[in-house]
Amino acid sequence: MSRFEEAKEMYSQLGVDVEEALNSLQKFPVSVHCWQGDDVVGFDGSDSLTGGIQTTGNYPGKASTPDELMDDIDEVLKLVPGTKKLNLHACYAIFEEGEKADRDALEPKHFKPWVDFARQRGLKLDFNPTIFSHEKAQGLTLSSEDEEIRRFWIDHCKACIRISEYFADELGGPVVMNIWIPDGLKDLPASRLAPRRRYLDSLNEIISMDYDKEKVKVALESKVFGIGMESYTVGSGEMTFGYALKNGLTPLMDNGHYHPTEVVSDKISAALLLAGELALHLTRPVRWDSDHVVLFDDETKEICKEIVRCDGLDKVYMATDWFDASINRICAWTIGLRNVQKAMLYALLEPKEMQVMQDQNEFTKILALQENLKTMPFGDVWNEYCRRNQVPNDLDWFAEAEKYEEKVLKERK
Ligand code: RNT
Ligand code: ZN
């Protein structure tokens, strides 16, 4: 018997159907953030990242053209198993020679190369307005007191909804279009209400445009604070979740955007019950919203377990969100994405029986089982998943990434 067959046998003794788990995972899309490849810079002319987020490090080999970024994404796709989507930001618009459009004037045609890229690889797309790294994003944006600035970002979001519809038409939907604003204040506000009221007005105006809600899922991402905006965040948890709930949008939770002992794993069941669906950004907070590479750690597993336990695989839109420039960027992408896949597989291999035990007050048994699960031959099932997806296993992928570094990344200036 192969190691995999043995593992399958052991899991079945716990009532777990390994084949069913592998099939479920295979169908679950994870939306790969394009912005790990170039430190969240994009191609629309900005040269520094603003908005209270930060990429640190200057590991060589950063992608600085669309072709380079596409090559790097291809390499990542080769190293990560499972079904992937590609998550683009508006600042990754690709202009023709001599052409330029400001963010409020972006059009579907500026993303045609991405649609072609995605189509050739069988990927669907997700999208994000880029409401930072821009001269009009030096203070507040969608909550700005300056009507001209607020209008500019409303128009940007509307343009992004049209582009998202185009993605859905070309490649199939739904396209998750996530609005995140960096708006906040460094020091104690005199009015917390006024910016929130303007943010609300802006959102009302954006979603009042005519668009197909089946094709485009407008999501709202919350945050607790940003660098330089430590005292107040306009798009707080209550603000975005409440607005989404009231207006039929999709709440988005980024697990780097909460207080240190507050966990997203505990919020998933409530969000699914109340909103019906939920979008996630998987990241790793280290003391603050530091966007470190996702690990195969307890909270990542717990988030995935909750998705599975809530029967949420077709109700949760999972995306990734980290940016590390201090290590090989392809590896940063790959390690995090493989860990997301691993954590999902781990969650799918939990005995469903356990939920019944809770209602029978069998807490000793649950604790014992949960601990026993940790030393089950999970790695053999994971290796089989990699094999079936024709990607290298844990022992082999790094050598492949090193080759790419030698051959491609080191050649870049
Ligand atoms: C920032 C948010 C947001 C960004 C991306 C680039 O704190 O997490 O999702 O990381 O839009
Ligand atoms: Zn995020």
Side-chain angles (χ1 to χ4, degrees):
M1 233 197 308
S2 71
R3 291 180 63 126
F4 171 65
E5 291 299 329
E6 262 179 59
K8 206 157 121 174
E9 179 57 37
M10 281 178 76
Y11 275 106
S12 83
Q13 285 171 28
L14 294 176
V16 176
D17 184 336
V18 169
E19 291 297 339
E20 193 187 306
L22 290 170
N23 289 337
S24 301
L25 182 56
Q26 199 67 58
K27 284 184 276 181
F28 181 69
V30 173
S31 195
V32 176
H33 62 307
C34 77
W35 52 92
Q36 161 58 40
D38 72 335
D39 311 343
V40 211
V41 175
F43 307 125
D44 72 346
S46 97
D47 48 7
S48 68
L49 178 60
T50 71
I53 53 178
Q54 209 164 58
T55 309
T56 53
N58 54 2
Y59 198 87
K62 171 166 95 177
S64 56
T65 65
D67 283 342
E68 287 178 354
L69 187 61
M70 287 177 185
D71 286 347
D72 291 358
I73 293 169
D74 267 335
E75 182 63 14
V76 172
L77 294 176
K78 272 191 228 157
L79 299 175
V80 178
T83 300
K84 278 89 68 176
K85 292 177 93 178
L86 180 61
N87 200 5
L88 296 175
H89 239 288
C91 61
Y92 290 83
I94 298 174
F95 300 113
E96 307 227 340
E97 196 72 18
E99 191 190 14
K100 170 96 180 108
D102 207 347
R103 300 240 178 109
D104 61 340
L106 286 173
E107 291 177 54
K109 66 173 183 193
H110 301 128
F111 293 88
K112 179 163 187 306
W114 283 114
V115 167
D116 295 341
F117 175 86
R119 185 180 287 116
Q120 281 154 18
R121 284 145 189 86
L123 302 170
K124 292 181 179 184
L125 294 173
D126 288 323
F127 201 46
N128 303 261
T130 308
I131 314 183
F132 51 82
S133 303
H134 189 277
E135 57 178 10
K136 290 199 166 66
Q138 283 164 14
L140 305 176
T141 62
L142 284 177
S143 73
S144 179
E145 67 295 343
D146 181 330
E147 201 43 34
E148 196 190 309
I149 288 184
R150 202 172 67 86
R151 177 100 352 239
F152 177 84
W153 293 113
I154 290 172
D155 290 343
H156 174 55
C157 288
K158 288 181 167 175
C160 287
I161 290 182
R162 276 189 286 274
I163 292 161
S164 301
E165 267 188 324
Y166 158 71
F167 289 169
D169 287 339
E170 293 292 317
L171 304 163
V175 171
V176 177
M177 196 205 84
N178 173 47
I179 300 178
W180 169 68
I181 52 163
D183 300 25
L185 293 176
K186 182 182 176 77
D187 234 318
L188 288 177
S191 169
R192 291 179 170 86
L193 180 67
R196 287 194 175 130
R197 179 178 282 138
R198 289 189 296 257
Y199 183 34
L200 186 133
D201 287 346
S202 299
L203 291 172
N204 285 345
E205 193 162 332
I206 292 163
I207 63 165
S208 74
M209 77 180 261
D210 187 30
Y211 73 97
D212 186 333
K213 299 188 174 56
E214 294 303 313
K215 287 184 190 164
V216 183
K217 300 277 177 181
V218 174
L220 290 187
E221 181 175 10
S222 68
K223 195 162 179 175
V224 66
F225 83 98
I227 305 171
M229 286 155 250
E230 290 84 359
S231 302
Y232 167 70
T233 304
V234 179
S236 61
E238 294 73 15
M239 187 68 200
T240 56
F241 193 80
Y243 188 92
L245 215 55
K246 228 176 134 181
N247 295 281
L249 304 188
T250 307
L252 188 145
M253 296 180 185
D254 175 313
N255 65 304
H257 292 186
Y258 296 87
H259 287 284
T261 61
E262 197 182 352
V263 283
V264 163
S265 53
D266 186 57
K267 301 176 190 293
I268 291 170
S269 48
L272 288 179
L273 278 173
L274 296 166
E277 58 180 31
L278 172 69
L280 293 176
H281 272 183
L282 284 195
T283 188
R284 176 164 50 110
V286 177
R287 300 196 189 281
W288 59 285
D289 172 39
S290 51
D291 299 295
H292 280 56
V293 175
V294 164
L295 303 183
F296 186 53
D297 59 13
D298 286 349
E299 174 57 5
T300 308
K301 284 183 226 169
E302 204 61 26
I303 287 174
C304 295
K305 284 191 232 169
E306 281 299 311
I307 297 172
V308 173
R309 291 168 181 169
C310 295
D311 211 6
L313 270 78
D314 55 359
K315 301 176 195 88
V316 172
Y317 302 108
M318 184 182 284
T320 51
D321 185 13
W322 58 83
F323 17 102
D324 193 333
S326 74
I327 58 175
N328 176 312
R329 292 174 185 79
I330 312 292
C331 296
W333 244 328
T334 304
I335 293 168
L337 283 164
R338 287 176 69 99
N339 283 333
V340 171
Q341 292 283 337
K342 260 186 205 171
M344 276 307 290
L345 181 60
Y346 191 84
L348 285 159
L349 293 172
E350 184 178 85
K352 296 194 176 62
E353 188 55 29
M354 238 165 61
Q355 298 185 37
V356 181
M357 292 176 194
Q358 177 170 308
D359 282 345
Q360 294 167 343
N361 292 327
E362 294 188 291
F363 301 114
T364 316
K365 212 166 165 185
I366 292 175
L367 186 60
L369 187 53
Q370 280 182 335
E371 288 309 289
N372 291 345
L373 279 170
K374 292 180 180 170
T375 46
M376 287 289 285
F378 169 74
D380 295 331
V381 182
W382 167 250
N383 283 337
E384 176 65 11
Y385 184 63
C386 290
R387 194 189 65 76
R388 291 186 189 181
N389 277 271
Q390 295 167 304
V391 306
N393 65 26
D394 282 355
L395 295 180
D396 296 335
W397 75 262
F398 190 73
E400 173 63 34
E402 271 183 318
K403 267 192 242 155
Y404 186 78
E405 170 155 18
E406 276 307 315
K407 226 175 72 198
V408 180
L409 301 184
K410 286 203 173 148
E411 296 302 311
R412 292 179 188 164
K413 40 162 189 44

